[in-house]
Amino acid sequence: HRTLRNLWQLSKFIPPQSLQIEFLNIWRNAEKYPADDPLAPIRIPFDYCFAVAMPAQPLAWFEASNLPPQAFEIAPLVRAYRKTAADIHSGMIFPIGEEPDGTSWTGFQSLKDNGGHLFIYRELNDRDTATIRLWDAAGKRIRLNRVMGHGKDGRQTVSDAGDAVFSLPAPFRFSVYRYSIE
């Protein structure tokens, strides 16, 4: 959650695609965190850790040879990211949602001609849905096509204030959408 917070805060001043953001080996040093810490790295899904770094340039800050076999289950996500990264990073990327603190609904919006990409993250909270204000979409109808993650395709009309509603099934889930203005 601290990586997400740092990237979100920096993205107000520096284009995220210009930054290398690390994602951790969540299995390393697990004993250094309190057993009851709900935000300890070992409690965060590895795909979510990688997804947090996707608006930037993900940097694997570990020795891959020391990863357990289950770490390699994110290979399809990494391949999907590599296919879309150039398109995502060609937009102007801004923070959206609540400021990350480990318990928020937050994300990033990559703005391009008549659409772009949305990164939606549900941190540790009990809210299945959240309202997130988008840039340059107030009062418009948008189409959402899930590219990666746990969300669903759909359409919605953004409020006159720019608010859109998103759902994710559980904490520490994410979705990356390609969106277009209809």
Side-chain angles (χ1 to χ4, degrees), residues 16-57:
Q17 59 269 46
S18 299
L19 300 170
Q20 285 187 328
I21 296 296
E22 67 186 55
F23 66 103
L24 299 175
N25 174 349
I26 61 172
W27 298 275
R28 188 166 185 250
N29 297 321
E31 72 285 351
K32 294 188 178 188
Y33 295 87
D36 61 347
D37 182 354
L39 298 175
I42 192 67
R43 297 191 189 278
I44 314 298
F46 196 47
D47 67 335
Y48 182 89
C49 293
F50 177 76
V52 161
M54 289 191 301
Q57 305 293 327

Side-chain angles (χ1 to χ4, degrees), residues 125-146:
N125 63 66
D126 59 3
R127 298 177 287 152
D128 291 337
T129 63
T131 301
I132 296 178
R133 183 153 296 161
L134 302 180
W135 295 87
D136 202 29
K140 298 176 183 172
R141 186 145 176 84
I142 60 172
R143 174 186 210 115
L144 299 169
N145 294 309
R146 184 182 60 85

Side-chain angles (χ1 to χ4, degrees), residues 90-109:
S90 68
M92 295 184 303
I93 302 175
F94 299 101
I96 57 173
E98 302 162 342
E99 184 171 325
D101 64 2
T103 63
S104 70
W105 274 82
T106 191
F108 299 90
Q109 182 175 358

Side-chain angles (χ1 to χ4, degrees), residues 150-171:
H150 307 276
K152 295 182 179 174
D153 292 351
R155 288 184 168 99
Q156 65 177 287
T157 301
V158 178
S159 77
D160 289 340
D163 296 332
V165 177
F166 297 92
S167 296
L168 287 170

